[in-house]
Amino acid sequence: MNQAQRAAEEFRARIGEPTGVWSAPGRVNLIGEHTDYNDGYVLPFAIPHRIAVAGAARTDGLLQVATLGDDGKLNQADPVPVADLTPGKVTGWAAYPSGVAWSLRENGIPVTGATLLIAGDVPAGAGLSSSHALECATALALLDLSGHPAVPGPSNSAVPGPGHSPGQPAFSGGLAPDLPTLARWIQRAENDFVGAPTGLLDQTASLRCVEGHALFLDVRSGETEQVPFNAAASGLEILVIDTRASHSHTDGGYAARRAGCEEAARLLGIPALRDVSLDGLAEAEAALPENLRPLVRHIVTENARVLAAVDHLRAGDLAEIGPILTASHASMRDDYRISCLELDVAVDSALKAGALGARMTGGGFGGSAIALVRVEDGERVRAEVTAAFAAHKLTPPRLFSGVPAAGAGRDQ
């Protein structure tokens, strides 16, 4: 039974017949960390783990949300009038679906109320974007239930070169947002209602990824390219290592680094760190205080790594991205300073066991790492990583193969 079926079955048993079921995936970011809020490049892919929302419309203006635990118990939040939703009014897990309803309302969608039941298997706190999967599934549900479904739009468009910066496409008005617009509405829910200063990577990945591909996104222009990514065909796999060291974007470390990047851009007189070229990095560093230089160095070199990885994927040279992944981790560990013991143990032990490359993925300070592994080396890498965690007296990691899956949509 998949998560959509599970949500539908529980809704019928506890509430009645749902109008529909919608689901959205978690994601692995192959490379391009913390570049999204710097107008840069990212390269995520969706994973098969999903959050599903079964729902029915209401006419009393109330939003009633409940989440189904792994133990089968239902955790119900207090119903709240959609018209009364304001930042800070709802806290905890219920803030995520409530924030989406608030953002839709603020953008002119007439949300008349809904009853939603949530089920999912995206690990929370694992850096695999469980919160955005929940928000994306909720957004699609509330739009459909209000009679204003999102417009899918094209799944693929050429990404311009690094010098192109036409700005984000604007919402055209009306009551049927396209997916890029919906991603920005969800970002507003996350930033302003939940209080997490995230960029556009996770929402866009959950909404727009397609099976068998990684999504190359130019965050500044909003343009995308679906890049074929079939590791198995090359005798490879992406091993996901959930360290079980939980992280949260609402913690201060993420916000501090974003603020540092914005301050560096201000001092350099540019819109965003995306505008610093690799050739111009040394000059930019020389113009900045010492504490901001490592942040800029990571963003500029990470953008270059994304572009290099995309070139290898386009050419079908998947194994060649291994050293790029490892260089990305070193940059996040040493320059951006967002790694931790668990992530370093995961990366180092995977490389020691023969992985072609490895890096942390997600916002950092915990969560998951990924390793590019030859299929024949998979068991050895898994065993080495598990043994290394035991040697450091850490909680055993959760390991699974990351296979590019479909993005969000309506299941029933």
Side-chain angles (χ1 to χ4, degrees):
M1 180 184 297
N2 63 33
Q3 296 306 312
Q5 293 167 334
R6 183 168 171 247
E9 182 177 281
E10 293 296 332
F11 196 100
R12 292 187 186 99
R14 301 169 186 263
I15 301 167
E17 188 65 27
T19 303
V21 184
W22 300 259
S23 71
R27 63 95 189 97
V28 159
N29 193 28
L30 189 61
I31 195 163
E33 225 63 75
H34 291 265
T35 49
D36 58 341
Y37 55 78
N38 287 285
D39 275 6
Y41 306 105
V42 295
L43 189 64
F45 64 86
I47 57 176
H49 302 73
R50 301 179 77 85
I51 302 292
V53 174
R58 303 171 65 115
T59 58
D60 59 3
L62 294 178
L63 180 68
Q64 172 73 71
V65 294
T67 183
L68 186 66
D70 293 337
D71 57 3
K73 294 182 179 178
L74 201 64
N75 182 9
Q76 297 195 61
D78 293 333
V80 58
V82 174
D84 292 348
L85 287 172
T86 55
K89 187 176 184 65
V90 181
T91 58
W93 69 267
Y96 293 92
S98 298
V100 171
W102 167 81
S103 184
L104 294 182
R105 186 201 74 196
E106 290 291 287
N107 283 285
I109 301 297
V111 180
T112 60
T115 299
L116 306 177
L117 188 148
I118 301 156
D121 60 0
V122 183
L128 302 174
S129 199
S130 59
S131 63
H132 287 97
L134 169 57
E135 290 169 321
C136 290
T138 298
L140 293 182
L142 292 178
L143 285 169
D144 277 10
L145 292 173
S146 70
H148 303 283
V151 178
S155 63
N156 191 62
S157 59
V159 174
H164 183 77
S165 56
Q168 294 283 6
F171 180 45
S172 61
L175 295 177
D178 58 18
L179 295 185
T181 298
L182 184 58
R184 293 196 298 278
W185 290 2
I186 294 170
Q187 181 190 25
R188 186 182 179 195
E190 183 95 356
N191 291 175
D192 298 343
F193 196 94
V194 177
T198 56
L200 272 168
L201 187 163
D202 296 337
Q203 308 91 331
T204 304
S206 191
L207 289 170
R208 303 184 68 185
C209 280
V210 301
E211 185 176 359
H213 293 74
L215 179 72
F216 178 30
L217 169 65
D218 177 339
V219 177
R220 171 168 285 174
S221 71
E223 294 186 80
T224 62
E225 178 185 350
Q226 301 289 352
V227 184
F229 184 53
N230 185 346
S234 298
L236 303 169
E237 72 166 323
I238 292 290
L239 176 64
V240 182
I241 307 164
D242 175 6
T243 68
R244 299 186 186 268
S246 184
H247 83 135
S248 171
H249 286 321
T250 57
D251 293 340
Y254 187 102
R257 280 150 185 80
R258 179 165 185 167
C261 290
E262 291 169 351
E263 174 65 6
R266 186 189 68 79
L267 291 173
L268 292 171
I270 54 177
L273 294 184
R274 147 72 171 271
D275 297 299
V276 179
S277 68
L278 198 58
D279 290 341
L281 176 57
E283 181 180 352
E285 287 185 87
L288 292 170
E290 187 174 352
N291 66 307
L292 297 180
R293 293 172 190 170
L295 301 181
V296 176
R297 189 161 55 242
H298 168 71
I299 298 303
V300 174
T301 58
E302 186 78 348
N303 276 325
R305 284 186 286 268
V306 175
L307 296 176
V310 170
D311 285 343
H312 286 306
L313 293 190
R314 287 172 178 153
D317 299 327
L318 273 65
E320 298 301 317
I321 71 172
I324 299 173
L325 302 183
T326 305
S328 174
H329 183 77
S331 180
M332 290 185 286
R333 180 193 64 214
D334 301 335
D335 283 340
Y336 225 65
R337 302 183 301 280
I338 55 174
S339 192
C340 63
L341 174 62
E342 291 86 348
L343 289 169
D344 290 341
V345 168
V347 168
D348 293 344
S349 59
L351 293 171
K352 179 182 177 182
L356 301 178
R359 68 184 288 271
M360 57 152 284
T361 185
F365 309 103
S368 295
I370 57 172
L372 181 66
V373 178
R374 296 183 187 90
V375 170
E376 62 266 28
D377 296 335
E379 289 307 313
R380 182 172 73 250
V381 174
R382 285 169 168 81
E384 183 73 28
V385 170
T386 301
F389 271 66
H392 284 83
K393 296 181 171 54
L394 300 172
T395 301
R398 179 173 182 256
L399 307 171
F400 64 92
S401 185
V403 180
R410 183 167 182 165
D411 297 80
Q412 296 181 23

